[in-house]
Amino acid sequence: MAELKVVVAGAGGRMGAANIRAVAAQSGLTLHGAVAGSASLKLHAAVDRPGTEAIGQDAGLFAGIGALGVAITDDMEAALAGADIVIDFTAPQASVALAARVADLGLVHIIGTTGCSEADDAAIARAAQDGARIVKSGNFSMGMVVLANLVEKAAAALADYDIEILEMHHSRKVDAPSGTALLLGEAAAKGREISLKAHSVRVRDGHTGPREAGSIGFATLRGGTVVGDHSVILAGPGERIELGHRAEDRSIFANGAARAALWAANQTPGLYSMVDVLGLND
Ligand code: NAD
């Protein structure tokens, strides 16, 4: 069985620890009934920023499992040497820089980082054209892929209902709306065959006037330790439909990222999503 060498970037973060646990735990995942190229993942390196508390600690001990013999480093180049895959839940600037380097080296890049600007996304798409195999998603959980599909269908079927997307996350989250809320907004816009950018209302404050017909609204809540709650509300005359998802544990994202890594290892360079990983494109 081929052993694919994984670098966890952002190893000192909340998702970094979950990704270390997921990589350490899995040994060949089943994709649609077949073992993915009979490959398994092995933690090759764990990286974070210089000065981060996690630097120098054993990645396994840091993530709350047994020692893995891999010390968390701040030397990205050393970490990338000999690696096959980077699982990256960091920050937009870091992910953009890493994508360019991954393209040079022809590696797989699993990007969970949210809050990317249009320019960041364009740079990541260029890296995919330049030789990187990238899977990027605002939410790597299986349930969210299904929810996005339902939202697309509901938005199309209830074409004149108002769509509002509500999300809540822990108090330390730095971007808003969440990547998942935007992913759900894109799904709704796709169902309506409109551009999300042209129709989204991301903030309301003061005398806003009546709701603009056909817009897709976002509302953001922050507090406590909430891993991620999302609701899509379709409000029509005399009724409301709510489609929702509650993330209870970060392992749902880390397991999805590990699954995407195994899948991407068998793909040609390009930019992919979880819809591609799960074969739901048809
Ligand atoms: P966090 O702040 O706990 O962790 C981020 C880590 O990245 C930190 O340890 C930070 O030091 C590190 N980092 C930043 N720049 C770096 C660099 N240049 N090199 C190496 N490490 C660097 O945040 P988190 O809660 O773990 O979330 C990380 C990202 O993942 C956020 O953008 C978040 O929204 C996103 N996220 C995505 C999903 C998904 O399924 N796509 C799920 C959860 C969180």
Side-chain angles (χ1 to χ4, degrees):
M1 185 188 286
E3 213 170 44
L4 300 169
K5 299 192 189 78
V6 178
V7 175
V8 171
R14 284 171 288 262
M15 277 307 302
N19 285 325
I20 291 166
R21 289 192 290 273
V23 171
Q26 82 77 42
S27 56
L29 290 177
T30 302
L31 289 179
H32 292 287
V35 174
S38 296
S40 67
L41 304 180
K42 182 178 180 5
L43 187 69
H44 175 66
V47 202
D48 211 292
R49 281 184 296 196
T52 310
E53 200 187 320
I55 302 300
Q57 296 188 44
D58 182 277
L61 293 178
F62 176 79
I65 53 177
L68 293 173
V70 174
I72 299 177
T73 176
D74 58 8
D75 186 343
M76 184 64 83
E77 276 307 308
L80 293 175
D84 300 301
I85 293 168
V86 182
I87 298 182
D88 164 14
F89 287 62
T90 55
Q93 266 191 325
S95 294
V96 167
L98 201 43
R101 199 62 197 112
V102 162
D104 291 342
L105 299 169
L107 308 182
V108 167
H109 194 182
I110 307 302
I111 305 179
T113 305
T114 61
C116 290
S117 65
E118 274 182 46
D120 295 334
D121 281 333
I124 288 168
R126 274 197 303 279
Q129 284 167 0
D130 291 347
R133 284 162 284 163
I134 299 177
V135 183
K136 183 172 187 288
S137 176
N139 191 310
F140 274 94
S141 80
M142 302 297 131
M144 189 51 70
V145 179
V146 174
L147 179 63
N149 193 268
L150 295 174
V151 167
E152 183 182 331
K153 290 198 170 96
L158 302 169
D160 56 350
Y161 280 34
D162 297 328
I163 300 179
E164 295 285 313
I165 300 174
L166 174 67
E167 58 110 334
M168 179 162 189
H169 280 84
H170 56 89
S171 56
R172 305 185 74 104
K173 185 162 178 63
V174 295
D175 55 309
S178 69
T180 304
L182 294 170
L183 180 157
L184 291 169
E186 289 291 358
K190 192 170 171 206
R192 294 262 165 101
E193 298 181 3
I194 58 173
S195 136
L196 179 64
K197 191 178 171 199
H199 290 84
S200 67
V201 175
R202 291 170 61 147
V203 180
R204 292 189 183 104
D205 187 26
H207 186 80
T208 59
R211 189 180 197 282
E212 196 179 319
S215 61
I216 297 176
F218 290 86
T220 299
L221 308 179
R222 292 285 175 266
T225 55
V226 179
V227 175
D229 290 355
H230 293 87
S231 304
V232 178
I233 301 162
L234 293 104
E239 66 175 353
R240 279 197 311 278
I241 291 158
E242 293 188 27
L243 298 167
H245 180 270
R246 296 198 196 293
E248 294 170 1
D249 190 293
R250 290 184 174 82
S251 62
I252 59 171
F253 311 126
N255 290 337
R259 186 172 178 145
L262 281 167
W263 176 86
N266 293 322
Q267 307 306 313
T268 52
L271 181 57
Y272 303 99
S273 73
M274 278 306 273
V275 172
D276 302 309
V277 173
L278 298 179
L280 301 175
N281 255 333
D282 311 326

